[in-house]
């Protein structure tokens, strides 16, 4: 079972460049989300999706776009990278938002913006 | 606004010891509380999920308890092993997050089990 797969594992960007972080899950989960993890700030929700075709903003959405054209895939796009976006990004999914659905995480993408 | 706190930030114990990790939250209006494990350079692995109506959950050597009235959850690890060394995070799903599914995470406790 692959679970939640994120690519790439590492990425270095220059300020102003754009890129897409890929996320795919093979568990037929409705709910998918993106978090960033920063020292001293913990994990913060960027965007989330409750099903194909539906996305919404989380706590820190500025500078990021998402789409959910299929149940399996939930890519995160950085439009114009800034040093403040240097972070570790985690994609996570669960069967639903409901109370008995644990969240499954990918292994993360470590992004450095210079 | 829900806040989740984990104290201590780091803990070192000898192998074989039973230990308790603490998690406190400020608002008892939660759907569930989840415990995760994070190994260096890896993602978070879900360990246990306690629903709001439950008092505890068990998986192998792990037991998590929930006391909403006091705003506390504990993760009990029995007979600790060096392989248990990792960062343990707790996260609450507030009732006000029913639409977003946004978890509120603690900062984590980094556990080192010495052989």
């Amino acid at each position: 079972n692959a679970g939640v797969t994120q690519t790439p594992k590492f990425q270095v960007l220059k300020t102003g460049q754009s890129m897409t972080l890929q996320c795919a899950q093979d568990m037929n989960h409705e709910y998918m989300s993106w978090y960033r993890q920063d020292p001293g700030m913990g994990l913060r929700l960027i965007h989330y999706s409750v099903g194909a075709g539906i996305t919404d903003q989380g706590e820190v959405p500025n500078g990021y776009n998402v789409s959910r054209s299929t149940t399996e895939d939930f890519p995160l796009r950085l439009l114009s990278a800034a040093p403040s976006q240097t972070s570790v990004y985690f994609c996570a999914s669960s069967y639903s938002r409901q109370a008995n659905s644990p969240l499954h995480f990918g292994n993360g993408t470590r992004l450095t913006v210079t | 606004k829900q806040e989740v706190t984990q104290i201590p930030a780091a803990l070192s114990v000898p192998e074989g010891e039973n230990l308790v990790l603490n998690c406190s939250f400020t608002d008892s209006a939660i759907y569930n509380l989840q415990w995760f494990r994070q190994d260096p350079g890896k993602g978070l692995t879900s360990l246990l999920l306690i629903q709001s109506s439950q008092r505890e959950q068990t998986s192998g050597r792990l037991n998590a308890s929930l006391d909403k009235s006091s705003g506390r959850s504990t993760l009990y690890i029995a007979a600790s092993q060096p392989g248990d060394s990792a960062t343990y995070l707790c996260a609450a799903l507030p009732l006000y997050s029913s639409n977003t599914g946004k978890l509120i995470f603690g900062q984590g406790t980094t556990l080192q089990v010495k052989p």
Side-chain angles (χ1 to χ4, degrees):
Chain A
N1 291 335
V4 179
T5 303
Q6 290 184 239
T7 57
K9 292 184 179 179
F10 301 95
Q11 184 70 50
V12 178
L13 291 178
K14 295 186 186 299
T15 297
Q17 288 184 318
S18 62
M19 77 159 296
T20 299
L21 280 63
Q22 301 292 343
C23 175
Q25 53 89 11
D26 62 357
M27 298 172 283
N28 200 30
H29 284 172
E30 288 185 345
Y31 180 81
M32 297 187 74
S33 56
W34 278 99
Y35 283 85
R36 59 178 290 175
Q37 186 176 37
D38 302 287
M41 301 292 289
L43 284 130
R44 293 178 291 171
L45 181 66
I46 305 172
H47 284 285
Y48 67 96
S49 168
V50 299
I54 306 170
T55 64
D56 210 338
Q57 297 180 348
E59 182 181 0
V60 287
N62 291 341
Y64 309 96
N65 276 354
V66 291
S67 60
R68 186 94 180 270
S69 57
T70 67
T71 300
E72 295 78 18
D73 300 300
F74 191 44
L76 178 72
R77 297 183 185 84
L78 279 70
L79 307 175
S80 177
S84 61
Q85 294 179 305
T86 294
S87 185
V88 182
Y89 291 85
F90 289 103
C91 179
S93 72
S94 65
Y95 181 71
S96 76
R97 292 168 291 173
Q98 299 310 310
N100 61 346
S101 297
L103 204 55
H104 298 261
F105 282 79
N107 281 331
T109 295
R110 187 174 297 272
L111 176 67
T112 302
V113 183
T114 61
Chain B
K1 179 181 176 183
Q2 178 73 269
E3 294 182 0
V4 177
T5 304
Q6 293 182 252
I7 296 173
L11 181 64
S12 181
V13 300
E15 181 177 4
E17 189 164 299
N18 301 326
L19 62 101
V20 174
L21 304 180
N22 296 302
C23 173
S24 60
F25 47 95
T26 56
D27 188 346
S28 62
I30 61 173
Y31 276 116
N32 65 47
L33 189 132
Q34 301 183 43
W35 282 92
F36 296 89
R37 167 185 173 140
Q38 186 174 26
D39 293 288
K42 299 290 188 181
L44 283 70
T45 299
S46 178
L47 296 174
L48 290 164
L49 181 152
I50 311 175
Q51 295 185 51
S52 176
S53 59
Q54 298 174 325
R55 296 284 300 199
E56 64 179 305
Q57 283 285 335
T58 298
S59 176
R61 294 182 295 108
L62 304 180
N63 176 277
S65 68
L66 176 64
D67 184 345
K68 288 197 305 177
S69 62
S70 66
R72 291 189 63 206
S73 176
T74 61
L75 180 67
Y76 174 82
I77 302 177
S80 58
Q81 304 170 358
D84 294 329
S85 298
T87 296
Y88 292 82
L89 297 102
C90 66
L93 180 61
L95 291 182
Y96 64 71
S97 289
S98 61
N99 287 332
T100 66
K102 174 187 169 184
L103 289 173
I104 309 298
F105 284 87
Q107 295 287 337
T109 294
T110 299
L111 173 66
Q112 182 184 33
V113 181
K114 296 181 177 180

